[in-house]
Amino acid sequence: MATLEIRDLHVSVEADGGAREILRGVDLTVRSGETHAIMGPNGSGKSTLAYSIAGHPKYTITSGTVTLDGADVLAMTVDERARAGLFLAMQYPVEVPGVSVSNFLRTSVTAIRGEAPKLRTWVKEMKTAMEGLAMDPSFSERNVNEGFSGGEKKRHEILQMELLQPKFAILDETDSGLDVDALKVVSEGVNRVASSGTVGTLLITHYTRILRYIKPDFVHVFVDGRVVAQGGPELADELEANGYDVYVKAAAGS
Amino acid sequence: MSASAVAASAAITPENREREVSLTAPAKDHAPRVFSRDPADFPVPTGREEEWRFTPLRRFARLLEGAPATERLEWTSETPIGVVIDVLAADDPALLGLPLPVDRLSALAVANADGAVRVTIPEDAGTEPVVLRLHGDSADALAWGHLVIDVRPFAQATVVLEHTGSAHYGEHLSVVVGDGATLRLVHLQTWDADAIHAAHVSVRVGRDATFRSFQASLGGSAVRVLETVDYSGPGGDAELLGIFFSKAGQHLEHRMLVDHAVPHCRSNVLYKGALTGDPEAGEDGIARSVWIGDVLIRAAAVGTETYELNRNLLLSSATRADSVPNLEIETGEIVGAGHASATGRFDDEQLFYLQARGIPADIATRLVVRGFFAEVITRLGLPEWERLLQDRIDTELGFEASGDHDDTEAGE
Ligand SMILES: Nc1ncnc2c1ncn2[C@@H]1O[C@H](COP(=O)(O)OP(=O)(O)OP(=O)(O)O)[C@@H](O)[C@H]1O
Ligand SMILES: [Mg+2]
């Protein structure tokens, strides 16, 4: 049983006119086995939250804490965070020219598990995981994210989640750009990992569509750099019906 | 359609993100005007000449002085059956038909080499690589060499020429690819850190012949390689590939001139370079590279197809990469002609992505740099040498040559 705890997190980025605060006091606790949906309008700071937890150098933490079972995540390098069990499925995965998917996955799995997987079992493991996500075996020979369609990039992110078995997975708009079939396949992948009960999931999304396939235990409404409302799955239904307007107006008035 | 020309010069500052360079400049004929075996026909360069303005003349001073050799490089060879190696005297008539030197250093190499070593590859020779290893013991030694590679019509040949150790070495390499023949030439500068090497690789591609060249400069203090290619009949195909890795204090310069003067020939140039200097060490810490790609399509060369590309990757701020593609076209009746040059900083987003998957920063950097070079290296088509180059790049990056080549392993 692990706990990821975010306390009063303030984050800013360097913009033209100096530092600009984007996260303005985020509080959130995620435990193993739980699925939290974070929903909010464009530009509310959802990706900023995800990147800040993962340690992207562009974001400056001005105050607050992030801990994983008490350990100070913010003091760790990006790769240490990943090895501690954090995983970020990115909204816009990065192309790495000349590096094959198979080489990349193997290097990553080796780093996370602390030893290189045995070649024979590894090839099988990768093949099975790819089949589960309806990815053609030829993907393993392609360069990381290079020329991948939007949907292929997202499958590739979830493939990594399945192979790396993180303690906490942050999925940043994994549903965007997916057609219904792909959305099902990807959601099944996430559910397979979640079914172990050992992963806590932070599902960042703009739309309620993915919540038909991945059932959240908690829903948080994210507006203007902070959580402004939270509840159970019924909150998502309400957002579906009424949109973010009322929350955005309330935040603007505060 | 008459002369149109495109030239670009990019003195890249490290702040620049990757960019495509294509500036239009007035037509300027980059073809050499003097062809001669006599060094006296070439004045000592001042550094203001177009072809010398990027070269640190002081570091090549001893070669430019052109004193006779004090030493010879040690030389070993592996040759498949049927390949003949012989020595030609300076007045051997076989030397007269070869492409001529085009600058002072190449003329000095021919004059001071006093004859040449010739490798002849007949049609019925074995197809395993001819491997020639040249080794010098000290940067103090001054050595000159003229090597002739004569690929007879319809022969299929691979020649690997490897330079190791150290020397002041002036080289002229004459290559004749006979009609219908194929030559893959691998020219490796895997010198120790203090070597000074100037080379002119001068290639004549026969009718329907194929020339594939692979240059790798992964060592030495100052290396300047000039490759010139001309065609003696239609249907010739030349591919010039290259990689270089320049570190603090190093000067690596690759210049090529492809002269299309006959119809229906092709040329394709692809060079990739990485540079990493030492920002703490001032001027001495600068890693330097120069890539000059001149392609000339003369009026008679209808049906020409040519493309050239240079990409450079800057791994620190203490770097300077000059990249100048230059295409001069005197006929409009061509299949295609293009060029591109891009120099960019190491992409931090790639590093972040890999680190976010648990991969430590140094291993992630190695992956990205390997990936950058992979497109060129895998086209070599000689796995054993590909691994050697990969290991050498790892060493340049500060890794022990790991011998781990995941790609091939995982593919088993
Ligand atoms: N480097 C930056 N410089 C300036 N502003 C930035 C920078 N990065 C993010 N921002 C701003 O921060 C705000 C939050 O961006 P973020 O990407 O976190 O939003 P988001 O909720 O993920 O939006 P979306 O739903 O569109 O993905 C936006 O207004 C964005 O323009
Ligand atoms: Mg976002």
Side-chain angles (χ1 to χ4, degrees):
Chain A
M1 174 75 177
T3 308
L4 178 68
E5 229 179 315
I6 300 157
R7 282 290 157 266
D8 193 30
L9 192 67
H10 288 254
V11 173
S12 58
V13 295
E14 268 323 305
D16 291 339
R20 174 174 162 211
E21 183 164 68
I22 298 183
L23 297 190
R24 307 191 303 135
V26 178
D27 287 289
L28 202 61
T29 303
V30 185
R31 296 187 178 79
S32 315
E34 296 175 353
T35 298
H36 294 244
I38 296 197
M39 306 190 59
N42 289 132
S44 55
K46 304 181 299 295
S47 292
T48 301
L49 175 63
Y51 277 126
S52 300
I53 298 170
H56 194 291
K58 197 169 84 178
Y59 301 94
T60 310
I61 316 290
T62 50
S63 67
T65 58
V66 178
T67 55
L68 201 171
D69 290 336
D72 182 1
V73 168
L74 300 178
M76 301 177 194
T77 61
V78 175
D79 49 298
E80 282 167 354
R81 296 178 198 206
R83 292 198 297 276
L86 293 176
F87 177 83
L88 168 61
M90 291 183 206
Q91 185 173 3
Y92 304 109
V94 181
E95 295 182 6
V96 192
V99 177
S100 70
V101 166
S102 77
N103 187 12
F104 162 65
L105 293 177
R106 190 152 195 263
T107 308
S108 168
V109 162
T110 301
I112 298 279
R113 296 183 191 167
E115 60 175 356
K118 295 261 177 306
L119 201 56
R120 188 157 315 135
T121 52
W122 163 245
V123 171
K124 218 167 119 198
E125 188 184 348
M126 192 168 69
K127 202 166 155 260
T128 311
M130 286 177 71
E131 274 167 13
L133 289 162
M135 292 175 79
D136 192 88
S138 66
F139 262 92
S140 61
E141 297 314 315
R142 290 178 60 180
N143 291 334
V144 173
N145 292 321
E146 211 176 46
F148 286 23
S149 71
E152 288 164 350
K153 284 183 182 165
K154 298 303 172 74
R155 286 172 207 237
H156 181 228
E157 294 292 286
I158 301 308
L159 174 69
Q160 294 166 53
M161 177 182 172
E162 289 207 64
L163 292 169
L164 298 176
Q165 296 285 329
K167 288 185 182 148
F168 292 96
I170 305 164
L171 311 181
D172 190 3
E173 306 227 9
T174 297
D175 51 337
S176 65
L178 296 182
D179 60 29
V180 177
D181 293 336
L183 185 61
K184 271 189 206 156
V185 167
V186 161
S187 301
E188 280 164 19
V190 174
N191 290 333
R192 266 196 300 278
V193 182
S195 68
S196 65
T198 58
V199 64
T201 305
L202 213 57
L203 187 71
I204 295 175
T205 180
H206 189 83
Y207 307 103
T208 50
R209 199 171 62 130
I210 193 172
L211 305 182
R212 280 177 232 152
Y213 305 101
I214 303 174
K215 292 285 164 223
D217 304 296
F218 306 92
V219 174
H220 310 264
V221 183
F222 205 80
V223 176
D224 201 16
R226 56 158 74 101
V227 175
V228 296
Q230 40 197 333
E234 73 289 346
L235 183 51
D237 299 333
E238 190 228 294
L239 287 171
E240 166 100 69
N242 304 325
Y244 297 113
D245 266 10
V246 43
Y247 296 102
V248 172
K249 288 208 183 88
S254 72
Chain B
M1 206 172 100
S2 71
S4 82
V6 188
S9 174
I12 303 292
T13 62
E15 285 71 33
N16 286 6
R17 294 283 299 176
E18 178 148 329
R19 63 177 199 190
E20 298 288 331
V21 179
S22 68
L23 311 167
T24 306
K28 190 164 52 170
D29 187 348
H30 280 232
R33 285 173 186 78
V34 182
F35 297 84
S36 171
R37 245 182 292 273
D38 183 359
D41 288 337
F42 301 97
V44 179
T46 63
R48 285 186 297 274
E49 301 81 359
E50 181 58 33
E51 73 257 54
W52 294 106
R53 68 187 178 99
F54 293 108
T55 310
L57 292 178
R58 246 187 302 147
R59 294 165 78 171
F60 288 95
R62 229 178 125 201
L63 287 171
L64 284 164
E65 245 166 55
T70 54
E71 316 254 346
R72 285 202 171 269
L73 297 184
E74 288 159 38
W75 149 288
T76 52
S77 62
E78 295 160 24
T79 49
I81 196 152
V83 171
V84 178
I85 298 184
D86 59 356
V87 175
L88 304 176
D91 59 356
D92 194 302
L95 292 176
L96 294 178
L98 297 171
L100 289 165
V102 295
D103 69 18
R104 183 173 175 83
L105 282 176
S106 62
L108 283 167
V110 169
N112 285 326
D114 195 23
V117 174
R118 177 174 60 181
V119 180
T120 305
I121 304 162
E123 186 186 349
D124 57 1
T127 53
E128 308 86 70
V130 177
V131 181
L132 310 168
R133 297 176 204 274
L134 297 180
H135 183 84
D137 284 329
S138 151
D140 295 335
L142 176 65
W144 302 97
H146 184 190
L147 186 71
V148 177
I149 297 174
D150 186 4
V151 184
R152 306 305 300 158
F154 303 104
Q156 303 280 320
T158 295
V159 175
V160 180
L161 182 53
E162 183 190 39
H163 302 91
T164 59
S166 195
H168 267 73
Y169 182 47
E171 173 196 8
H172 187 84
L173 174 59
S174 306
V175 178
V176 177
V177 190
D179 292 349
T182 296
L183 171 65
R184 174 170 46 183
L185 173 68
V186 186
H187 195 261
L188 305 180
Q189 289 67 248
T190 40
W191 294 106
D192 292 346
D194 55 358
I196 308 285
H197 183 193
H200 177 195
V201 182
S202 139
V203 185
R204 179 150 300 154
V205 181
R207 184 187 184 106
D208 298 323
T210 302
F211 173 63
R212 308 225 172 282
S213 155
F214 191 100
Q215 287 282 347
S217 292
L218 300 172
S221 166
V223 173
R224 185 183 194 269
V225 179
L226 166 68
E227 297 169 88
T228 56
V229 176
D230 60 37
Y231 301 83
S232 58
D237 185 359
E239 180 178 69
L240 309 181
L241 303 177
I243 59 169
F244 50 85
F245 195 123
S246 184
K247 293 201 300 185
Q250 256 180 322
H251 174 94
L252 302 179
E253 178 170 344
H254 286 270
R255 321 178 64 93
M256 49 230 73
L257 169 66
V258 182
D259 189 347
H260 284 276
V262 296
H264 302 293
C265 291
R266 279 186 303 276
S267 58
N268 182 42
V269 178
L270 171 63
Y271 264 74
K272 284 197 169 188
L275 296 85
T276 183
D278 179 357
E280 252 87 88
E283 273 298 301
D284 294 342
I286 305 269
R288 188 82 175 79
S289 75
V290 177
W291 178 89
I292 311 288
D294 289 330
V295 175
L296 181 58
I297 305 176
R298 295 183 190 269
V302 297
T304 295
E305 189 177 350
T306 180
Y307 189 75
E308 50 171 349
L309 171 64
N310 170 228
R311 274 184 189 283
N312 298 315
L313 178 64
L314 308 180
L315 292 161
S316 84
S317 57
T319 50
R320 176 154 178 216
D322 284 288
S323 179
V324 188
N326 180 55
L327 188 55
E328 291 172 34
I329 309 177
E330 294 172 359
T331 171
E333 289 165 48
I334 56 171
V335 176
H339 67 124
S341 157
T343 295
R345 267 210 297 173
F346 185 81
D347 186 347
D348 293 333
E349 294 296 329
Q350 293 179 5
L351 190 62
F352 171 74
Y353 187 70
L354 297 172
Q355 280 190 273
R357 300 303 179 247
I359 302 169
D362 56 346
I363 295 177
T365 304
R366 181 170 66 178
L367 263 183
V368 171
V369 174
R370 278 186 178 186
F372 173 74
F373 282 118
E375 180 192 359
V376 187
I377 291 183
T378 53
R379 274 161 75 171
L380 181 55
L382 296 169
E384 183 192 336
W385 292 95
E386 285 172 18
R387 273 195 290 276
L388 178 126
L389 294 176
Q390 195 59 77
D391 284 346
R392 183 71 188 217
I393 289 168
D394 286 354
T395 315
E396 298 292 287
L397 278 169
F399 282 92
E400 302 275 313
S402 62
D404 90 66
H405 297 273
D406 290 321
D407 248 339
T408 42
E409 260 179 70
E412 274 161 20

